[in-house]
């Protein structure tokens, strides 16, 4: 290696930094990030999801300024316009909610000042597991428990590696472990070529029926009941599940259709039955764009989850009535404040309501031609600013170290400035 090559290698190592990825609820923290020209480069992973998200950021902070009806304005003018809209709103909706812990906390304080309803962009999928938890309870495990103890992983109706490319690697038994992992994909289509499955015994089942039929049939078989027309492959799987030392059922809330809470309850029945004689748990993949973080932080501060209104008469939780799509379609709100700090793909719904967007700089393009709209570009936690997010298994909060410090305000900073402008009285709906 010549001197120039050695110097280049030393510079590359110096530019590389340990990094926690904020673009998926797995919050993978075993990667490193380095610069390659004007773009970031991920080292230690081939995750397509992280790579696509990183491609939307350069090594320098975006120079995008706030805009009012497509016209560039200063931050103070944009904040003044937003405060005026909030002050005049009788029932605002805070949607999107794609932010970190500090951003959620600040938005809740702003909701207290304005009487807002709070829902996440992934609220529909989040409610599948939340409704099941409220009605029947849930039995979840952690990434570490799967890695260290699960000898049988059953993926129900999902290929986790498709939306969460690092899942199987995160859960793979440690090198030298005596654990022999078996993975079964049930009703998930073609077997995925996922990273982390190379040391596992992989099987695939394609039973007839939808996910509800699958869960109901498997629950009956695990409980020892024989359906009228049993599926032999599912019956054999039920035997394997009963014989496993630690069986984990993996499912993905975002793949479920309407009334997905019924599927989540069926998974709970299976887990409860297995736990009578062995050990079992479930793992729900979901919570994208900070959905778990918003839900946990809001529940910690208010005692209630998302789809809660901070109203003059008190806190009101309505998991169906306060869905963003329903509120917007029914014109049950008169202002939408949309938060999407992790990427431009989380665009606000198509509506003629007055709109305030706190989002990734590239979101401005999606607002072209709109009137009565305020756009404030905000920093992305883990890219241009520090932050904290809850991991998919719920019990871990990880700090996010910025790849660089940009000039954009954070969601928390914008919300705090709006609270200052509104004062103690807030809007007409304020408490």
């Amino acid at each position: 290696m010549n001197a120039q090559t050695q110097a280049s290698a030393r510079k590359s190592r110096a530019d590389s930094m340990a990094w926690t990825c904020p673009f998926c609820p797995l919050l993978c923290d075993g990667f490193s990030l380095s610069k390659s020209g004007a773009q970031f480069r991920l080292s230690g992973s081939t995750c397509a999801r992280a790579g696509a998200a990183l491609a939307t950021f350069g090594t320098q902070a975006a120079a995008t300024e706030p805009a009012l009806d497509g016209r560039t304005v200063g931050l103070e003018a944009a904040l003044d316009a937003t405060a005026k809209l909030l002050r005049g709103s009788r029932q605002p909706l805070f949607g999107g909610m794609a932010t970190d812990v500090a951003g959620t906390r600040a938005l809740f304080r702003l909701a207290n000042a304005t009487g807002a309803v709070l829902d996440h962009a992934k609220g529909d999928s989040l409610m599948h597991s939340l409704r099941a938890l409220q009605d029947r309870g849930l039995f979840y495990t952690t990434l570490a428990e799967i890695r260290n103890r699960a000898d049988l992983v059953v993926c129900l109706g999902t290929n986790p590696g498709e939306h969460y490319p690092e899942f199987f690697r995160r859960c793979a038994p440690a090198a030298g472990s005596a654990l022999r992992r078996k993975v079964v994909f049930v009703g998930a289509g073609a077997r995925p070529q996922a990273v982390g499955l190379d040391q596992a015994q992989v099987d695939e089942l394609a039973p007839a029926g939808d996910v509800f039929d699958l869960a109901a049939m498997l629950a009956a078989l695990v409980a020892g009941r024989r359906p009228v027309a049993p599926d032999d492959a599912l019956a054999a799987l039920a035997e394997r599940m009963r014989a496993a030392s630690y069986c984990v059922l993996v499912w993905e809330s975002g793949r479920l259709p309407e009334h997905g809470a019924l599927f989540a309850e069926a998974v709970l029945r299976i887990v409860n039955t297995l736990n009578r004689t062995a050990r079992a748990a479930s793992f729900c993949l979901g919570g994208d764009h900070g959905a778990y973080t918003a839900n946990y932080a809001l529940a910690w501060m208010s005692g209630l989850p998302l789809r809660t209104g901070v109203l003059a008469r008190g806190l009101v939780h309505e998991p169906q009535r306060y869905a963003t799509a329903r509120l917007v379609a029914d014109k049950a709100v008169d202002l939408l404040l949309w938060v999407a700090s992790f990427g431009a793909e989380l665009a606000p719904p198509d509506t003629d309501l007055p709109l305030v967007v706190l989002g990734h700089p590239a979101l401005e393009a999606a607002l072209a031609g709109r009137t009565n709209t305020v756009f404030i570009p905000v920093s992305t936690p883990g890219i241009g600013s520090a932050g904290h997010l809850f991991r998919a298994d719920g019990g871990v909060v990880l700090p996010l170290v910025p790849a660089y410090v940009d000039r954009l305000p954070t969601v928390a900073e914008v919300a705090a400035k709006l609270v200052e402008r509104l004062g103690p009285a807030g809007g007409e709906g304020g408490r």
Side-chain angles (χ1 to χ4, degrees):
M1 182 181 293
N2 60 36
Q4 183 177 1
T5 303
Q6 290 176 337
S8 178
R10 284 195 298 271
K11 183 178 186 303
S12 177
R13 287 194 295 270
D15 288 343
S16 181
M17 59 172 286
W19 183 64
T20 299
C21 177
F23 301 117
C24 157
L26 295 179
L27 298 184
C28 297
D29 54 357
F31 306 157
S32 61
L33 203 59
S34 58
K35 299 176 183 177
S36 178
Q39 294 293 327
F40 291 113
R41 183 175 60 192
L42 189 63
S43 301
S45 172
T46 57
C47 179
R49 183 167 178 173
L54 285 169
T56 65
F57 298 90
T59 56
Q60 300 298 322
T64 305
E65 298 292 337
L68 179 58
D69 294 341
R71 176 175 53 87
T72 300
V73 296
L75 178 59
E76 296 302 313
L79 290 169
D80 288 341
T82 300
K84 182 179 179 180
L85 287 173
L86 288 169
R87 195 175 289 114
S89 172
R90 296 182 61 85
Q91 183 55 77
L93 165 64
F94 292 0
M97 292 294 291
T99 182
D100 66 344
V101 171
T104 302
R105 290 170 62 88
L107 288 168
F108 178 68
R109 296 187 183 100
L110 182 59
N112 267 277
T114 58
V117 172
L118 301 104
D119 184 30
H120 196 277
K122 301 297 181 179
D124 287 344
S125 60
L126 186 68
M127 288 303 127
H128 296 322
S129 57
L130 184 60
R131 292 295 302 277
L133 173 63
Q134 292 169 332
D135 292 343
R136 302 290 183 183
L138 287 173
F139 199 129
Y140 281 171
T141 188
T142 65
L143 293 169
E145 282 287 284
I146 299 174
R147 179 182 180 87
N148 295 327
R149 302 183 185 278
D151 57 336
L152 178 60
V153 175
V154 179
C155 302
L156 296 179
T158 180
N159 290 339
E162 183 178 340
H163 291 159
Y164 306 93
E166 287 289 324
F167 174 73
F168 288 111
R169 177 151 59 183
R170 293 291 302 276
C171 298
S177 170
L179 182 64
R180 295 295 173 258
R181 172 70 50 79
K182 300 177 181 66
V183 179
V184 182
F185 294 91
V186 187
R191 181 185 303 177
Q193 301 298 314
V195 174
L197 285 177
D198 49 321
Q199 299 299 318
Q201 176 187 321
V202 181
D203 295 319
E204 180 185 349
L205 304 181
D210 58 20
V211 291
F212 298 106
D213 296 329
L214 163 63
M217 180 76 74
L218 196 55
L221 291 166
V222 167
R225 298 192 298 272
R226 192 72 176 173
V228 175
D231 184 294
D232 291 339
L234 278 183
L237 174 60
E239 290 295 333
R240 293 175 65 184
M241 293 168 68
R242 283 199 292 261
S245 296
Y246 187 15
C247 177
V248 174
L249 282 73
V250 178
W251 54 287
E252 187 177 337
S253 59
R255 290 183 180 271
L256 297 179
E258 194 175 2
H259 306 300
L262 298 175
F263 177 89
E265 290 182 12
V267 170
L268 175 65
R269 287 198 299 273
I270 295 171
V271 169
N272 285 345
T273 301
L274 293 173
N275 273 314
R276 294 172 185 168
T277 55
R279 189 176 181 189
S282 65
F283 192 93
C284 176
L285 286 162
D288 296 26
H289 291 276
Y292 284 156
T293 295
N295 199 53
Y296 290 139
L298 182 60
W300 178 260
M301 295 186 74
S302 71
L304 290 169
L306 286 162
R307 295 194 171 171
T308 289
V310 190
L311 309 180
R313 66 181 186 275
L315 295 168
V316 179
H317 174 58
E318 293 281 358
Q320 293 180 316
R321 179 184 171 199
Y322 286 166
T324 294
R326 174 172 291 186
L327 290 172
V328 170
D330 293 348
K331 297 294 180 66
V333 293
D334 56 6
L335 169 68
L336 174 60
L337 187 149
W338 186 260
V339 181
S341 65
F342 294 107
E345 70 274 17
L346 210 63
D350 186 17
T351 174
D352 57 1
L353 290 171
L355 177 66
V356 177
V357 176
L358 313 182
H360 185 288
L363 261 178
E364 184 178 22
L367 307 177
R370 280 193 55 103
T371 58
N372 214 8
T373 299
V374 181
F375 173 68
I376 302 177
V378 293
S379 184
T380 298
I383 295 293
S385 56
H388 295 81
L389 287 175
F390 278 86
R391 203 169 65 187
D393 44 7
V396 178
V397 180
L398 291 182
L400 304 175
V401 178
Y404 62 86
V405 179
D406 60 23
R407 297 188 300 106
L408 301 176
T410 65
V411 171
E413 290 168 345
V414 171
K417 290 179 180 295
L418 290 171
V419 170
E420 291 176 0
R421 278 168 166 74
L422 291 171
E428 292 188 28
R431 298 179 66 190

